[in-house]
């Protein structure tokens, strides 16, 4: 298959169509220059404001930042050394990001993606359950309630994800990043614990049944 390539010292770009390699008729070489790769030094999150420090040797005309698919709105000129951007948020003012540990995606126009520095510390989002809204339930359960918090899944289809009350699985009806709607299971005692498990984290909240 050597006739499909030209002689070169650098890596070759190949194109395959329906299982057949195309022939290179000119220079198909490509080189990644490590010295020109932008470096993401630090990223800190306070509320929905993300502060980043990036080192790049090239002038910057535009930059795109996101975490877990959530865009961070910013307006950056030629200086990217230190800048802030605002993440899309839930109604509680916290960013729409699922629980987990993240390296922000920093895409510098005309340069490429920034690579995290060896000393980079990931941005952590903690699974949190803060309050419950809904009617009171007797010990037999069957009542819908809403759990408020942060770091929840984006949909009911995500796994592993579970909600238990009194160590019994609750029926999950709706899910957003900041709210979970469930149907309460029966419980033997009035004092109960709501437990949410997602992406290796667990959040708990107290709930009281009516006797």
């Amino acid at each position: 298959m050597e006739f499909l390539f030209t002689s070169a010292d650098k890596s070759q770009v190949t194109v395959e169509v329906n299982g057949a390699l195309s022939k290179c008729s000119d220079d198909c070489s490509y080189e990644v220059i490590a010295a020109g790769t932008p470096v993401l030094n630090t990223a800190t999150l306070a509320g929905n404001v993300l502060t980043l420090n990036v080192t790049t040797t090239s002038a910057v005309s535009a930059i795109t930042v996101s975490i877990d698919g959530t865009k961070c709105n910013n307006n950056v000129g030629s200086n990217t050394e230190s800048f802030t951007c605002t993440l899309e948020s839930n109604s509680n003012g916290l960013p729409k990001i699922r629980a987990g540990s993240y390296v922000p995606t920093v895409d510098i126009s005309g340069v490429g993606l920034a690579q995290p520095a060896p000393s980079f510390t990931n941005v952590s989002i903690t699974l949190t359950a803060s309050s419950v809204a809904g009617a009171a339930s007797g010990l037999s359960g069957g009542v819908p309630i809403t759990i408020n918090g942060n770091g929840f899944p984006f949909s009911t289809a995500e796994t592993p994800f579970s909600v238990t009350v009194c160590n019994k699985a609750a029926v999950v009806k709706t899910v957003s990043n900041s709210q979970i709607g469930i149907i309460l299971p029966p419980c033997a005692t009035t004092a109960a614990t709501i437990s949410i498990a997602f992406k290796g984290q667990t959040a708990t909240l107290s709930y009281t049944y009516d006797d």
Side-chain angles (χ1 to χ4, degrees):
M1 297 180 61
E2 289 79 3
F3 68 91
L4 295 174
F5 302 93
T6 57
S7 177
D9 296 328
K10 301 175 183 178
S11 300
Q12 297 290 291
V13 175
T14 60
V15 177
E16 186 174 317
V17 180
N18 294 329
L21 284 173
S22 61
K23 180 181 178 181
C24 179
S25 60
D26 198 354
D27 184 6
C28 296
S29 61
Y30 184 82
E31 183 178 12
V32 176
I33 302 174
T37 302
V39 177
L40 176 59
N41 300 305
T42 60
T44 55
L45 182 62
N48 66 337
V49 177
L50 185 66
T51 301
L52 304 101
N53 182 283
V54 179
T55 301
T56 178
T57 58
S58 304
V60 176
S61 59
I63 187 168
T64 302
V65 180
S66 65
I67 297 181
D68 193 29
T70 296
K71 185 177 180 182
C72 200
N73 298 308
N74 58 83
N75 183 12
V76 179
S78 59
N79 177 24
T80 61
E81 180 145 349
S82 184
F83 66 95
T84 62
C85 60
T86 304
L87 286 155
E88 183 183 355
S89 301
N90 295 302
S91 58
N92 59 11
L94 296 176
K96 290 184 178 181
I97 304 174
R98 294 168 293 185
S101 181
Y102 298 95
V103 176
T105 300
V106 180
D107 190 354
I108 300 175
S109 179
V111 181
L113 295 174
Q115 179 178 346
S119 59
F120 181 82
T121 301
N122 287 11
V123 175
S124 295
I125 302 297
T126 302
L127 185 68
T128 305
S130 56
S131 65
V132 171
S137 173
L139 293 176
S140 59
V143 173
I145 63 169
T146 299
I147 305 166
N148 300 303
N150 204 62
F152 298 158
F154 291 148
S155 74
T156 57
E158 296 188 52
T159 56
F161 163 60
S162 65
V163 180
T164 60
V165 185
C166 286
N167 294 318
K168 297 178 181 179
V171 176
V172 178
K173 302 296 288 185
T174 60
V175 173
S176 72
N177 190 233
S178 61
Q179 291 187 322
I180 301 173
I182 66 168
I183 303 296
L184 286 167
C187 189
T189 61
T190 56
T193 298
I194 298 172
S195 181
I196 303 165
F198 179 55
K199 293 184 71 175
Q201 297 189 35
T202 302
T204 59
L205 190 66
S206 296
Y207 180 80
T208 302
Y209 283 79
D210 279 350
D211 193 353

